[in-house]
Amino acid sequence: MTKSDLDFFLNQNVQIELSNFVLSLLCAAILSFVVHLFYIKFSSTLSNRMEFSKNFVVLGVATCIVIMIVKSSLALSLGLVGALSIVRFRAAIKEPEELVYLFLIIAIGLGCGANQLIITVVGILFALLTIIIYSLYLKKFTINSQEIVNMGIVIDSNISDSEVDSLIEDLKKMSLDLKFISMSRTIENTSINIDLKPKDFKELTKITGKIKEQYPKSK
């Protein structure tokens, strides 16, 4: 590579049209704001969602500006690599989900800064659609899990194995599903731990009544 070739790569200066620059900034800001709204609505993180996502738009726009500037100059690109090796970003990322949304914002800035607006819009919309579908799936799974009740039964006597089996069988008849978790017995009492899915939550009263009927001193 000759000196003239090296000077061309290091000193090249591609002019950026103002209209394209403004359009890319608007696209980055709008997409970042949409991701901000999705994060507040669909995120399952326990931290303050509004506090964490309030800078999404600024981060997306800043990334877009940086990419649009450095893409026109090899020298600026090399300078950016050197600058990033000095500056360390120590964001308080508590959960992986927060990092995923940050990557989405950075992807918006990179795509809009590279002037790949259509690809960026389609990609981000697909990612947001995936978030909606996955959130609905998790919500359905959570509701189904909440229908399962953990029941601890303490009987003030050391009952026999046959009595335990009989009690479990009676409870199975009064519930849609039952899973035996654990049991411990001492001279004074018997403790049984089960997970059951009642046919109706009103059935819980009948179940506890059935246990009290057989073992009046039970808890």
Side-chain angles (χ1 to χ4, degrees), residues 54-67:
K54 66 180 182 181
N55 294 319
F56 277 10
V57 176
V58 178
L59 177 60
V61 171
T63 306
C64 178
I65 294 173
V66 171
I67 296 302

Side-chain angles (χ1 to χ4, degrees), residues 27-70:
C27 185
I30 293 172
L31 289 177
S32 298
F33 183 71
V34 172
V35 173
H36 160 77
L37 296 179
F38 267 70
Y39 177 77
I40 294 175
K41 182 174 180 59
F42 294 102
S43 175
S44 59
T45 180
L46 299 177
S47 59
N48 191 324
R49 301 175 191 178
M50 181 62 71
E51 184 68 22
F52 181 78
S53 63
K54 66 180 182 181
N55 294 319
F56 277 10
V57 176
V58 178
L59 177 60
V61 171
T63 306
C64 178
I65 294 173
V66 171
I67 296 302
M68 293 200 74
I69 292 174
V70 302

Side-chain angles (χ1 to χ4, degrees), residues 171-185:
L171 295 180
K172 283 183 177 180
K173 296 176 182 178
M174 303 177 68
S175 58
L176 295 174
D177 191 16
L178 185 144
K179 181 180 180 181
F180 183 84
I181 304 299
S182 63
M183 181 180 68
S184 63
R185 288 191 290 190

Side-chain angles (χ1 to χ4, degrees), residues 99-110:
L99 190 60
V100 171
Y101 278 91
L102 285 179
F103 270 117
L104 273 179
I105 297 299
I106 294 173
I108 290 172
L110 291 173

Side-chain angles (χ1 to χ4, degrees), residues 11-16 68-69 71-73:
N11 299 317
Q12 62 177 329
N13 187 15
V14 179
Q15 295 295 325
I16 303 174
M68 293 200 74
I69 292 174
K71 75 175 183 179
S72 63
S73 172

Side-chain angles (χ1 to χ4, degrees), residues 81-98:
V81 173
L84 292 178
S85 65
I86 298 174
V87 180
R88 297 181 180 180
F89 297 96
R90 298 184 179 275
I93 305 298
K94 299 178 181 179
E95 301 180 33
E97 187 179 15
E98 297 177 349

